[in-house]
Amino acid sequence: MNAPGRFTVQAHPPGAEPLNAPLFASLIERLQAAEERCIVLDLGPARTETLALFGQLRARLDIVDLAESLDQFDDVDEPDVLRERAERLLPPRHGDGAHVVLCWDLLNYLKRPALSAFMTAVAERTRRGAFAHALIAYSSARMSVKPGIFVPVDGQRLVNVSPPQAERDSPRYSPEDLANCMHGYTVERARLLRNGMQEFLFRL
Amino acid sequence: MFDIGKKSADKGQQDTGAQAKAPQPSAAADPAARRSPATPREAAVIGPSIHIDGDLRGEEDLIIEGEVNGTVQLRNNTLTIGAQGKVSADVFAHSVYVDGYMEGDLFGSERVCIRKSAQVKGNITSPRISLEDGARFKGTIEMDPQAVEAALGRRRGAAPAAPAPQEQKAAQPSQGNGKPDAASGIKR
């Protein structure tokens, strides 16, 4: 098997600055070392680069593309309604739950009740000991109107390939906020990246 | 008006861009082509005005620009869902190219290619899967070679009569609420 840094995906678009993501690299290392089939629940859109990376492992990718459906959670606070909408967006529960959840630049786009309902539904689709890898805008008080599209450059770096967008206020969820909203998720490690995003590796 | 069985070469200027992009494997290079009795490699076309409900089977390449609901089986041939095509079906083919709308499970024994104009909702099982940026996809992409082989092997080993797509679904693990007890296999 290749070392994580030797996973090749494809060249990133001009102008997009790849970001070292050490927790992502450690996750890929673990998957590589496991040498077992892994199930990845990707909350982002289907992307060639993600397919290319996990295609080098024995993987099944479950693609949710949450960004396309974020508006379904706007202006709703009732837990039952939020839960029902989350269930509709997510793949059916299988006996073989996901080993890994990818959640890149999405959590800040859900209000607290929606975050809680959605991530609870996600947790129910994972197996014990699963990991959730998240990127969350944290340093800046502003964030883009729509979530960025992050893709792997290789087994160690991620890059945002979305075009420049207008901005809006960011809720800047802290680790405490996330702990309060995301029951069952334990922060295993967290890192502040040089673009101001916080990288989280959660354990379920 | 009814385009099934018509060769695309006969359609001349009516051919779509999707059709122009459809692969034209040479019979010499492609074992599937050798197996197929349809030696000319032009594909049959289901035109935009055609709507089919039911099982669709064949031994030649096919381009769907119309609407198909049910199942599509082209075990040794290529299926292209053109930009105008709308398919709600479980699809079994040697190769599958999607430019249009597809809802259902896709089994490609050789490859599945989701092009940038495609909208796909369903599950893909194939040893080679490509997805162009811009394509809209929701569902599962099975890339584990062993799982792919197992799924396709089960398909190949099925009775010669029309396979029941629901068998595959029934064979999948039940949708329990509890988490599996087995360890994830990932080192902690």
Side-chain angles (χ1 to χ4, degrees), chain A residues 37 48 61-64 93, chain B residues 131 138-142 175:
Chain A
R37 166 182 163 79
T48 310
L61 271 180
D62 292 345
I63 307 283
V64 176
R93 290 185 185 89
Chain B
L131 186 140
K138 280 189 105 163
T140 291
I141 299 176
E142 182 60 80
Q175 297 178 12

Side-chain angles (χ1 to χ4, degrees), chain A residues 2-200:
Chain A
N2 291 333
R6 294 184 60 202
F7 274 112
T8 50
V9 180
Q10 67 176 51
H12 52 85
E17 187 68 24
L19 198 61
N20 281 325
L23 304 186
F24 175 65
S26 72
L27 178 62
I28 296 296
E29 249 179 274
R30 281 166 152 159
L31 294 176
Q32 194 181 1
E35 290 188 353
E36 284 181 16
R37 166 182 163 79
C38 69
I39 298 169
V40 179
L41 180 58
D42 185 354
L43 303 185
R47 293 289 305 193
T48 310
E49 298 88 342
T50 314
L51 210 61
L53 178 68
F54 287 99
Q56 295 172 62
L57 300 163
R58 291 184 52 206
R60 189 185 88 196
L61 271 180
D62 292 345
I63 307 283
V64 176
D65 199 0
L66 173 62
E68 277 295 307
S69 309
L70 280 169
D71 56 354
Q72 293 187 24
F73 295 98
D74 290 345
D75 306 321
V76 182
D77 286 327
E78 295 84 5
D80 291 348
V81 177
L82 290 167
R83 180 56 184 252
E84 188 265 329
R85 292 185 184 181
E87 291 289 337
R88 257 194 287 141
L89 286 177
L90 289 165
R93 290 185 185 89
H94 291 300
D96 46 350
H99 297 84
V100 171
V101 179
L102 302 179
C103 186
W104 297 336
D105 199 19
L106 289 166
L107 300 181
N108 269 339
Y109 292 84
L110 292 167
K111 292 177 185 167
R112 283 178 173 80
L115 178 61
S116 182
F118 187 79
M119 293 309 284
T120 299
V122 167
E124 289 170 1
R125 286 158 172 83
T126 63
R127 62 184 59 210
R128 265 190 217 106
F131 292 95
H133 181 256
L135 292 179
I136 301 171
Y138 186 64
S139 290
S140 172
R142 305 279 290 168
M143 64 181 190
S144 56
V145 169
K146 288 183 178 176
I149 299 170
F150 283 83
V151 299
V153 176
D154 50 35
Q156 295 179 317
R157 296 177 299 163
L158 300 169
V159 65
N160 185 356
V161 296
S162 42
Q165 300 177 49
E167 293 187 332
R168 64 180 238 200
D169 289 340
S170 167
R172 298 174 67 199
Y173 290 138
S174 66
E176 293 73 30
D177 291 326
L178 297 175
N180 288 334
C181 292
M182 293 166 55
H183 303 293
Y185 294 77
T186 306
V187 177
E188 184 165 284
R189 291 168 72 192
R191 285 272 189 114
L192 188 61
L193 303 180
R194 64 182 159 75
N195 69 343
M197 294 193 95
Q198 189 92 24
E199 182 187 21
F200 286 96

Side-chain angles (χ1 to χ4, degrees), chain B residues 38-82:
Chain B
T39 42
R41 300 308 302 150
E42 298 93 350
V45 178
I46 294 174
S49 68
I50 307 298
H51 182 132
I52 296 174
D53 289 323
D55 293 340
L56 206 159
R57 287 182 234 166
E59 293 288 334
E60 58 188 306
D61 294 347
L62 176 65
I63 296 167
I64 298 176
E65 291 289 359
E67 190 170 338
V68 174
N69 300 312
T71 58
V72 179
Q73 299 177 60
L74 303 171
R75 295 192 175 279
N76 299 320
N77 298 90
T78 295
L79 171 70
T80 301
I81 300 172

